[in-house]
Amino acid sequence: MDDFERLLNEGDEAYKKDDYKKAVVCYEDALKLVTDENKSKFKSILPMMGRCYRQIGNPSNVIDLATDVKQKFGREYITSVFLTTVAAAYADMREYGKAHICVNEAIRLENGKISGPLQAVIDRIEK
């Protein structure tokens, strides 16, 4: 197991134990080690990384992460699940217009299907 895999595993274990600060540190360190060979594995933890940032009170870091990932890896890494987390982060910061844009994009990516977590964000921004 290389350092990248080890960090992802440690981050996942910390996440499962609700140790969001440790999880974020592991995921951030793993992000520094992303290569063309392992970047698909990193894609799957982006929503968890975003949730960690929100749990520790740093929703703006979710936005920064989305911007960074889009620039480094491309739009295909911004999944509907991750967009739901980004929308929630915007809602946390009371930027409801931007949250709505993310919600609409997540719905488009899912061909109109709305997941439970996405519906929860919709409910928050439409109050």
Side-chain angles (χ1 to χ4, degrees):
M1 177 183 311
D2 62 11
D3 284 343
F4 175 80
E5 290 279 340
R6 180 185 55 76
L7 287 164
L8 286 186
N9 290 338
E10 286 178 18
D12 291 346
E13 288 304 311
Y15 181 87
K16 290 175 189 172
K17 295 175 183 172
D18 298 335
D19 186 352
Y20 302 115
K21 287 182 181 180
K22 180 178 180 181
V24 161
V25 169
C26 292
Y27 293 148
E28 286 175 341
D29 288 346
L31 178 58
K32 296 171 189 168
L33 301 175
V34 173
T35 64
D36 284 339
E37 291 78 35
N38 64 21
K39 68 183 180 180
S40 64
K41 289 181 183 177
F42 189 76
K43 179 181 180 179
S44 66
I45 64 102
L46 289 172
M48 293 188 311
M49 191 173 179
R51 282 187 222 108
C52 289
Y53 282 131
R54 291 185 60 233
Q55 288 292 329
I56 62 175
N58 294 327
S60 64
N61 287 13
V62 180
I63 312 313
D64 294 341
L65 176 64
T67 302
D68 199 33
V69 166
K70 189 171 149 185
Q71 288 174 348
K72 286 182 181 175
F73 306 115
R75 196 179 253 317
E76 67 272 10
Y77 276 73
I78 309 298
T79 64
S80 63
V81 176
F82 185 47
L83 272 172
T84 299
T85 305
V86 175
Y90 275 125
D92 293 344
M93 297 184 303
R94 293 186 169 91
E95 293 188 34
Y96 300 114
K98 292 177 181 178
H100 217 311
I101 292 168
C102 292
V103 163
N104 289 337
E105 181 64 9
I107 292 170
R108 186 191 68 74
L109 289 173
E110 290 297 323
N111 298 315
K113 183 180 173 192
I114 299 175
S115 67
L118 185 56
Q119 184 62 55
V121 174
I122 292 168
D123 293 344
R124 282 182 62 202
I125 63 176
E126 292 184 352
K127 284 185 178 180

